[in-house]
């Protein structure tokens, strides 16, 4: 409480280990907003609703939900290493740049993810993730879900990815059904040791197709 209501540049409240709430944060930030490493923060309620740059809530180990996140983020949205996060509900509907929920080890579903991501969508090392249901419908660049060791299906993946689609080291994956049908760059599914068939693989791959062990 007591923070400015509008900030023309960046607003940083990183490493505030005892901060439990964002209530009272600015309503609008023209640059970046970061509350990374606020390890006691359990909710994003009170966060700015418009951020002109990047939004960072990395390494908020007590964060269980993205409810309260900005509706509009003009660049990138980072919530990686939020190891108590179980849902992406509350995430922005559209992110112009990168959306990353990398190493959110309690995340079981992508439901609530942005519908459109202009840059990369990264959900690597989400060890509890079993499905891609809820993933963005449109991804402009790379989609990566490698090292998601509980992932059994690619159902829910975008139909088209502008650059690379990467799902290597998904050791529980048994099928490529649901994979994008068009990949502008490389398609990589190596070391998916439970994979028994390539049925469902993309119809069109712009560069390399990699599925070795």
């Amino acid at each position: 409480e007591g923070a400015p209501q509008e900030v023309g540049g960046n607003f940083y409240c990183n490493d505030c280990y005892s901060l439990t709430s964002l209530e009272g944060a600015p309503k609008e930030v023209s640059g970046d907003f970061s509350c990374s490493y606020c390890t006691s923060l359990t909710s994003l309620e009170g966060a700015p609703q418009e951020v002109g740059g990047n939004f960072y809530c990395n390494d908020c180990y007590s964060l269980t939900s993205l409810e309260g996140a900005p509706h509009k983020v003009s660049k990138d949205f980072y919530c990686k290493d939020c190891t108590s996060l179980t849902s992406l509900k509350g995430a922005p509907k559209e992110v112009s740049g990168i959306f990353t929920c990398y190493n959110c080890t309690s995340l079981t579903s992508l439901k609530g993810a942005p519908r459109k991501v202009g840059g990369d969508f990264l959900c690597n090392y989400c060890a509890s993730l079993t499905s891609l249901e809820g993933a963005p419908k449109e991804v402009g660049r790379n989609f990566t879900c490698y090292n998601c060791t509980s992932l059994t299906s690619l159902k829910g993946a975008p139909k088209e990815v502008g650059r690379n689609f990467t799902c290597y080291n998904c050791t529980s994956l048994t099928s490529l059904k649901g994979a994008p049908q068009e990949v502008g760059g490389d398609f990589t599914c190596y070391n998916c040791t439970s994979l028994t068939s390539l049925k469902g693989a993309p119809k069109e791959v712009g560069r390399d197709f990699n599925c070795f062990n």
Side-chain angles (χ1 to χ4, degrees):
E1 276 192 52
Q5 291 301 289
E6 290 186 32
V7 173
N10 302 319
F11 184 96
Y12 296 121
C13 57
N14 305 337
D15 302 289
C16 294
Y17 305 124
S18 299
L19 187 69
T20 57
S21 170
L22 295 179
E23 294 292 345
K27 299 298 181 191
E28 189 172 333
V29 174
S30 298
D32 298 342
F33 180 93
S34 181
C35 58
S36 295
Y37 295 96
C38 292
T39 53
S40 299
L41 196 64
T42 58
S43 164
L44 296 179
E45 294 288 352
Q49 291 306 287
E50 289 193 29
V51 173
N54 303 311
F55 183 92
Y56 301 96
C57 58
N58 304 330
D59 297 274
C60 292
Y61 305 129
S62 301
L63 192 66
T64 58
S65 165
L66 297 181
E67 294 282 8
H71 297 310
K72 182 178 180 183
V73 174
S74 297
K75 292 185 179 177
D76 302 338
F77 187 102
Y78 289 86
C79 59
K80 69 182 184 72
D81 298 309
C82 293
T83 51
S84 297
L85 192 66
T86 57
S87 167
L88 297 180
K89 191 177 178 183
K93 298 299 181 191
E94 186 172 331
V95 172
S96 299
I98 295 167
F99 183 96
T100 178
C101 52
Y102 178 104
N103 201 40
C104 291
T105 52
S106 299
L107 193 65
T108 57
S109 168
L110 296 180
K111 288 179 180 176
R115 308 319 296 147
K116 183 177 181 181
V117 174
D120 303 335
F121 183 89
L122 313 173
C123 60
N124 328 324
Y125 291 96
C126 291
S128 301
L129 195 64
T130 58
S131 163
L132 298 181
E133 293 279 9
K137 298 296 184 188
E138 293 183 46
V139 174
R141 295 191 309 193
N142 304 306
F143 185 105
T144 67
C145 56
Y146 58 80
N147 288 94
C148 291
T149 51
S150 299
L151 191 67
T152 59
S153 168
L154 297 181
K155 189 177 179 182
K159 298 298 182 189
E160 187 175 337
V161 172
R163 292 189 187 171
N164 303 324
F165 184 93
T166 309
C167 60
Y168 63 76
N169 291 340
C170 292
T171 51
S172 299
L173 191 66
T174 58
S175 167
L176 296 182
K177 287 180 181 178
Q181 292 305 285
E182 289 186 38
V183 174
D186 299 338
F187 182 93
T188 302
C189 60
Y190 68 75
N191 203 39
C192 293
T193 51
S194 299
L195 199 62
T196 58
S197 166
L198 295 181
K199 284 182 180 177
K203 302 295 184 189
E204 187 176 324
V205 174
R207 295 182 60 190
D208 298 337
F209 184 95
N210 306 303
C211 65
F212 53 87
N213 283 331

